Every structure is written in structure tokens, then in C-alpha cells.
Amino acid sequence: MKSTKGITLIALIITIIVMLILTGVTMNIAVNGGLFNNAQRAVDDTNAEVSSTQDRVDELSGVLDDVASQQDEHNWNRAGDNITCNHCGLSFVIGDYLGYTPDATSQTVTITSEEAGDENDYYYDSTSNTSDKTATVTTTEIKETISNPQVVQTDFPTTQTFTQETGHYWKVLGIEDSDGNGTNETLLIKMASPTENGLYLAGPKGYNNGIDILNKICKELYSSSRYGEARSIKIEDVNNCFQYKPTGGMYYYNGSWIETNGFNTQIKNLPTWETIKANGTYTPDGTNTEEALGSYKVDRYYYYVGGLYYINNAVTGAKTYISLNELCTIFLDINSNNTSYWLATKGVVCNTFVGFGLGAVDYYSVYSVLSMLYSSDSSGRYEYLGICPVVCLKDEIPPKINGPEISIPNYEL
Ligand SMILES: [Zn+2]
């Protein structure tokens, strides 16, 4: 848009000379009267003015470009469980099925035990409540212990291979301002039920790498070159959908769970700190010092989602009623056999030691940390849970389709 249109001195002088000839003024009078010096000033002033005007025009056209590009973006707004776009008029209800199909059906993602952890990172026997590496169970048995995962095993997979599972349905989950410009340009959809084949994570490696592993599997297997990129679901997605704002971390003390005031309480400030550090000061990053362990913040929390459509704070029992009945079915698909899945969210949980793990959705509960993978007494654990991809739709939106009816959980807690 930048141009250099102004006037040149030579053009102005030619114009003046023509005018002088027409009006009969002699060249001598004109030169002695300083006419051409004044002409130079006139040219300079005019060109300065043109330049500043051009700058203003450029500025305005920049603003116009921004407005034009924003008009190309979706502008999603949520009222209750209705989501509407102010830009194109598209409208959905949270939980609507969309006809989304990912690309890359032939692709394979392989995760090694170097990334996900293995039996060397796992040795805790819940039966004897001791570390015990001698017991052996099979992979099938491991899968059967999802509800009570703390069983010693020694045949942890050295590689886990994932391919895209076909036939999954996808549901509208929510909206997001992915680029942080103040407009919700992204419509989020989630896989209706988590993957049939789950992911093992164990020990400090599982804790350190779990989020990256989950996002990698989702991105490579469940993205679409046409519609958008996939990532793993995380706890913020669940909270945003319920419009639930957790109020504090939770820790265990004197036989019950206690809630901190917010999420800034460091472990070294807990009443259990003396006990905790006496039991070991191992941290998953390998620093293994009192200072490092004590600096972690208590950010574990969980809540129940009841069939009477409330969220139940697990510590206070305070119930936040959800007016949106169908929301429960977004996360808790009781028609499916595999309702537990990872959240790509790290956290710590405190008792008489500190547990490090990833969050999960487990039947009727949402946890910022369900799956403890490593603890400050150096015992490692593992968990096997499903994967739930979320796709970020920024431009083209798949059509609404009919999907299976999901029973609303009728479960009072
Ligand atoms: Zn739109």
C-alpha cells in the first residue's frame, strides 16, 4: 500500500514558468523575488504532508486488514449449552455429533518404555503394601486391575504400538480462544468414547513424558488435514465444559481430605511436611532434595459428577448443580466398557508422602490426579487408561449427524 506520490520541484517550476509567461511577468523579476526558493519550500512542505497522509492511510488499511481477517474467523459464543457463531451463524448444542473423520488411517505410533516407563519404574504391591519386584502378572491381568492398579508386574511392554481406531463418533465439546486474541475462533470436538486400546504409563518417565506422549498419539492418529489438529483432552477441557472452577488443591491429613485455599500452597507448608520428608525426598526430575520436593504446589483435586446433574466437591461435599443434563454424557459414557481415560494434566497429591501423576476421568469422577506414577518414597506405579483426543476446528466445520443415544448416568453420590 506504500506509494510515493507527491510533487517534484521540476514539475512545479514548469507550471510556474507557464503561468509567468501567461501573466507577462519577466524571468528576472521572478528570480529576484525569490519565487523559486519559495517553490522549493512549497514542494518540501507538500511532500512532507503527502508522506504523513500516506502513513495514516497505511495505518488505516492495516486496521482494515485486521478486521477483514477477523471476519474470516469463526466467532463462537456460548449461552447455556448452546454454541453459536456470530460470523457464519452456525449453531450447535454441546454433545451434538459431528461427521468428523481423521486422516492417517495407515499411520503407526510407537511408544518405547524409555519414554513411557517400564517395570524398572514400577514396584509397589498394594496387597502387602510393600515394594516387591518378585510377583508376576500378565498384561491381561494388568488390564483387569484398572480399578486397583497397584499390582506388581514384570512384563511391562517394551514398546506400545498405536494405530487409528475407526468407527468412533465425535461430539461438540466447547469453544476456545486458541490464539489468545479475544475471539473464540476454535470449536472443540472430542471422541465420544475413549480409545479401546489404552496407554501404559509408569514411574517418573510416565509422569515426565505422559502429556507429550498423549498429545503425540492424538495428533498423529486423529488429526485431519481438512478440518484441524488433534491433541489429548486435558482437565481444563472438562472444567470449561461444566463451567466449573476448582477452588483449591486437596491433601490428606488426619484421616480426611482437606482443601487448600487456592493452588499456591507449597508442600513444605503442609502440616504433614515433617512426615513427608522423613519418608524420602525423591522427585520425578531426579533432583531429590528437600528444597525441590517442598517447592511443589498442592494442585490435586477431584470431583464427582452425579446423575442428578451436580458436581460434588470431594472434600466439602458442596454441590454445584449443572443445569445442562446432557453434559454428563459428554464425559461419562456408561454405554461404553472403557470409560476411564487419561487427562493430559500433571499434578501432585499429598498424604504422608508426595505422589506425582496424571489426571483422569474415571467412571463418575474427574481427577486432576488419579494415576499416581511415582512418589517421594521412590516407589513407582503404573496405570493403563484409554486415550481421548480433542480436535481443534478453526475453519471448516463437519456437518451435524445422528449418533447413538447415550444414557444419562443416574448415580447419586
Ligand atoms: Zn463461523
Side-chain angles (χ1 to χ4, degrees):
M1 285 299 285
K2 195 91 183 169
S3 69
T4 52
K5 286 189 181 137
I7 54 172
T8 63
L9 181 61
I10 189 73
L12 183 57
I13 287 174
I14 289 167
T15 308
I16 290 169
I17 289 171
V18 170
M19 288 169 69
L20 292 176
I21 292 166
L22 289 173
T23 55
V25 177
T26 69
M27 200 55 64
N28 204 27
I29 293 169
V31 171
N32 289 341
L35 179 60
F36 292 114
N37 288 340
N38 286 332
Q40 178 64 61
R41 269 204 302 283
V43 167
D44 291 346
D45 290 353
T46 302
N47 286 346
E49 187 64 29
V50 166
S51 170
S52 112
T53 302
Q54 187 63 45
D55 287 347
R56 185 75 190 124
V57 168
D58 288 345
E59 203 178 294
L60 286 170
S61 73
V63 170
L64 286 172
D65 287 347
D66 286 350
V67 170
S69 80
Q70 275 174 16
Q71 282 176 344
D72 288 339
E73 284 186 345
H74 291 296
N75 181 6
W76 300 103
N77 286 280
R78 176 174 169 181
D81 55 356
N82 297 301
I83 289 175
T84 306
C85 182
N86 285 353
H87 131 272
C88 62
L90 275 175
S91 177
F92 300 105
V93 178
I94 292 177
D96 276 348
Y97 289 102
L98 297 192
Y100 173 80
T101 308
D103 294 333
T105 44
S106 62
Q107 192 152 345
T108 299
V109 177
T110 302
I111 305 295
T112 66
S113 58
E114 198 48 47
E115 301 164 89
D118 58 21
E119 66 271 16
N120 295 317
D121 299 306
Y122 176 78
Y123 43 96
Y124 182 80
D125 181 357
S126 65
T127 310
S128 63
N129 211 27
T130 56
S131 295
D132 178 4
K133 282 190 169 184
T134 58
T136 303
V137 295
T138 65
T139 304
T140 308
E141 286 170 319
I142 295 168
K143 290 187 181 182
E144 288 169 352
T145 62
I146 291 171
S147 58
N148 181 19
Q150 290 149 355
V151 174
V152 173
Q153 54 86 39
T154 58
D155 61 348
F156 201 91
T158 49
T159 59
Q160 302 179 68
T161 302
F162 298 87
T163 53
Q164 188 192 98
E165 295 179 9
T166 55
H168 278 279
Y169 284 93
W170 295 80
K171 286 176 166 181
V172 172
L173 171 65
I175 56 179
E176 186 180 84
D177 179 12
S178 307
D179 59 11
N181 72 347
T183 302
N184 293 310
E185 79 290 344
T186 306
L187 182 71
L188 302 173
I189 56 173
K190 76 177 279 288
M191 197 184 264
S193 303
T195 57
E196 198 66 30
N197 292 303
L199 167 72
Y200 292 96
L201 292 174
K205 288 172 190 155
Y207 173 80
N208 292 332
N209 304 325
I211 292 176
D212 288 346
I213 291 171
L214 285 163
N215 284 332
K216 177 181 176 182
I217 293 168
C218 291
K219 180 181 171 184
E220 296 194 13
L221 298 181
Y222 295 102
S223 295
S224 158
S225 54
R226 178 174 172 185
Y227 290 111
E229 199 163 275
R231 59 168 172 79
S232 169
I233 195 166
K234 54 189 177 182
I235 197 154
E236 288 81 3
D237 294 319
V238 188
N239 292 343
N240 286 342
C241 187
F242 286 132
Q243 300 187 303
Y244 177 68
K245 292 181 172 54
T247 50
M250 296 175 183
Y251 64 98
Y252 198 73
Y253 179 56
N254 266 351
S256 57
W257 287 98
I258 309 217
E259 193 172 53
T260 62
N261 181 21
F263 290 98
N264 286 317
T265 303
Q266 291 185 311
I267 289 164
K268 63 185 169 194
N269 295 320
L270 292 181
T272 46
W273 173 234
E274 291 301 321
T275 313
I276 288 172
K277 63 186 184 186
N279 286 336
T281 55
Y282 291 88
T283 53
D285 63 1
T287 308
N288 300 342
T289 63
E290 269 186 30
E291 176 56 31
L293 182 65
S295 298
Y296 278 91
K297 290 175 178 173
V298 185
D299 59 1
R300 192 255 196 177
Y301 61 91
Y302 67 103
Y303 54 87
Y304 304 122
V305 181
L308 300 177
Y309 319 122
Y310 56 79
I311 290 169
N312 192 2
N313 181 301
V315 170
T316 65
K319 292 176 180 176
T320 307
Y321 282 85
I322 309 166
S323 59
L324 319 166
N325 300 358
E326 295 292 330
L327 285 186
C328 294
T329 68
I330 307 278
F331 302 103
L332 312 173
D333 176 358
I334 62 169
N335 289 4
S336 164
N337 289 327
N338 186 8
T339 57
S340 301
Y341 49 94
W342 293 105
L343 295 171
T345 306
K346 274 184 184 176
V348 300
V349 50
C350 295
N351 192 336
T352 53
F353 52 84
V354 181
F356 300 89
L358 260 60
V361 172
D362 177 43
Y363 299 97
Y364 301 102
S365 303
V366 178
Y367 292 80
S368 75
V369 186
L370 167 70
S371 50
M372 198 170 72
L373 300 171
Y374 190 58
S375 78
S376 54
D377 64 2
S378 94
S379 65
R381 306 170 190 215
Y382 81 94
E383 185 85 70
Y384 173 84
L385 295 173
I387 299 169
C388 182
V390 166
V391 182
C392 303
L393 307 170
K394 292 188 165 68
D395 186 12
E396 195 177 353
I397 307 297
K400 206 188 294 194
I401 61 167
N402 292 322
E405 283 281 322
I406 302 296
S407 310
I408 298 171
N410 183 18
Y411 189 69
E412 186 167 13
L413 293 153

